[in-house]
Amino acid sequence: MGVAYYPVFEDDDDGDPIDGKALAANEKALDRALASAGLPKLLDFFSASPEDMVDFFDEEEQDDIDTSVAAPEAWFEPDAALAVIRHLLACVTDQPKAFADSDRLIEDLKGFEQQLIDAGNRNTRWHLTMQY
């Protein structure tokens, strides 16, 4: 199955979802590309509700988690990430051999960009989440 990173939206309209596995697989290379441009990492946009955070732990650990002390779910304006996604898209397009499975990565980034544009048009916020 593998890890996947993808956006979720406050209005629960995920539009045309992205696969997100290429994003997760290229996390370190993407972070380097963003750092060189002074842009935030994709995971800087990660958030989840306290209840959803419990799912990131093993089942035997879940009963011991006190969600009342967890940080609240954070939401971001789509414009905050458009520059990030567009920079990554340019980097991968310009140097595809520097990234694993660059064709799928470009597909994920183009889909992500469109989802953020659509979210801006709907006046809704978003955050990054992951699936294992």
Side-chain angles (χ1 to χ4, degrees):
M1 186 168 152
V3 178
Y5 295 167
Y6 57 93
V8 293
F9 300 90
E10 199 170 24
D11 66 0
D12 293 323
D13 181 352
D14 293 332
D16 189 15
I18 64 169
D19 179 66
K21 291 178 184 170
L23 288 172
N26 282 281
E27 178 184 354
K28 288 182 179 163
L30 296 174
D31 285 353
R32 284 190 298 273
L34 292 168
S36 69
L39 292 167
K41 298 177 189 178
L42 275 179
L43 285 181
D44 289 348
F45 296 100
F46 173 80
S47 186
S49 69
E51 295 78 23
D52 288 342
M53 286 293 241
V54 171
D55 293 338
F56 293 110
F57 294 88
D58 293 329
E59 282 186 35
E60 55 273 357
E61 296 173 314
Q62 290 180 356
D63 291 336
D64 297 329
I65 297 171
D66 181 2
T67 58
S68 68
V69 298
E73 189 170 17
W75 295 99
F76 304 93
E77 295 297 329
D79 287 346
L82 273 172
V84 169
I85 297 302
R86 287 175 175 157
H87 178 74
L88 292 175
L89 189 53
C91 288
V92 178
T93 301
D94 291 346
Q95 297 179 5
K97 292 184 193 291
F99 300 89
D101 204 356
S102 61
D103 289 339
R104 282 186 46 211
L105 182 55
I106 289 170
E107 185 178 318
D108 276 353
L109 290 166
K110 285 181 177 180
F112 203 148
E113 177 186 37
Q114 188 59 55
Q115 285 184 314
L116 291 174
I117 291 167
D118 293 345
N121 291 336
R122 295 191 317 271
N123 294 313
T124 194
R125 299 178 301 171
W126 76 287
H127 64 71
L128 190 72
T129 195
M130 59 182 71
Q131 182 177 18
Y132 288 94

